[in-house]
Amino acid sequence: TSLPAGALSLEIRGLSFSYEAEQHVLDDVSIRIEPGRILGVLGRTGGGKTTLSRLLNRFYDPDAGEIILGGSDLRAIRIEELRSRIAYVTQDVQLLKASIRDNLTFFDASIPDLDVLEAIDDVGLGGWLAELPEGLDTVLGSDGGGLSAGQAQLLALARAFLRAPGFVILDEASSRLDPITEGIMEGAMDRLLSG
């Protein structure tokens, strides 16, 4: 099954999941999100928020119920296509000891530099990049050494949106940011999600 182009709907019907028998993390959850809409999921630590995002990426399959993305059951979608259409941004940013370009494109040379520069500008890092003598060829330290937590998070956001996903999951993506950087990230999200 192939996913349609553009923003994707999500419907969860009677979803239940447990890591161990008799310890339900999610029990009979049902949600519907229309394409282009935003849903915030709030809850206490251990309440199943991250588990839900992991189920959407098919790191696990549910014990019961269905997850329908873009009109198709998740289990019928090729895993490569599913993961290419869902952007998953967490608070724990993984950056490679590689150039900024390669960190954003994952070494995909078919992505034009103009697109990379636009994504960086969209998240508010255009000025920062302009100050780097080697620009996109600047090599980042392993695990983003030399970057602030905010810069690393904004680069992760640019990476996600460079792929033009149909569905975006932010799993506490701004929890480690200072209020100013969080405001920049919110503005970037508004620009990137428009339309």
Side-chain angles (χ1 to χ4, degrees), residues 15 17 19 25-26 41-60 88-92 169-173 175:
L15 180 72
F17 179 79
Y19 291 103
V25 176
L26 298 170
V41 179
L42 304 173
R44 63 175 168 52
T45 301
K49 301 178 300 293
T50 296
T51 297
L52 184 58
S53 64
R54 289 176 179 163
L55 288 165
L56 291 174
N57 273 292
R58 287 216 52 213
F59 297 142
Y60 305 102
Y88 186 50
V89 182
T90 69
Q91 65 179 323
D92 186 25
I169 300 170
L170 301 174
D171 187 358
E172 298 190 49
S175 66

